[in-house]
Amino acid sequence: MNILLVEKNKMTRPLYLFFDGISEGLCIKIYNKFQSYVQHGDIYHAKHLKTLNSKIWKYKGTIYKLRIDNGKESARVLFSKSKDGNLKIIHAFLKSTRKTPVKEAQQAIAIYQMLECIETVIWNKQSALLNEKYC
């Protein structure tokens, strides 16, 4: 199981802007949570993990919504699990309201529906900890 980020393009640019704009501490917490899923070999459910309701948002499939807090920063990371077991981070944003903003959900769904056509890159510890390329 790998942690994958969708490659940067016009559609996925907000994901990269998100990682460029957050603190190193928040980035590391996000990375560590995904590493926990990798170590357990699956996505385990807890109070910080929900799914984006497919009936409300009118899409087919499963998009997971992970809540990560670091001090005053609160982020949501939307990801899916591929058929081969990899975790694909498709969208992320800083949380400022109680509900998931329509714009953020629609962005994630648009990327999710094109996931087969979008290239991905492995998100590794070096890029997460050094606050380089993805953080």
Side-chain angles (χ1 to χ4, degrees), residues 50-53 57 65 76 78 91 93 95-106 108:
K50 295 182 178 181
T51 58
L52 202 59
N53 191 319
W57 295 103
K65 181 172 60 171
R76 300 300 180 267
L78 297 130
H91 190 61
F93 59 95
K95 188 73 172 172
S96 58
T97 61
R98 185 168 165 87
K99 292 189 174 196
T100 301
V102 172
K103 179 181 93 172
E104 305 296 352
Q106 288 174 341

Side-chain angles (χ1 to χ4, degrees), residues 36-86:
S36 177
Y37 293 146
V38 169
Q39 288 172 356
H40 285 88
D42 201 4
I43 302 166
Y44 55 86
H45 290 276
K47 65 180 182 179
H48 58 270
L49 182 69
K50 295 182 178 181
T51 58
L52 202 59
N53 191 319
S54 59
K55 290 180 182 175
I56 292 172
W57 295 103
K58 296 179 175 57
Y59 75 96
K60 291 186 182 205
T62 304
I63 298 175
Y64 296 95
K65 181 172 60 171
L66 177 65
R67 183 185 80 222
I68 301 288
D69 298 313
N70 184 46
K72 292 184 179 182
E73 288 179 303
S74 183
R76 300 300 180 267
V77 181
L78 297 130
F79 68 98
S80 67
K81 188 173 180 183
S82 65
K83 292 175 185 172
D84 55 359
N86 291 323

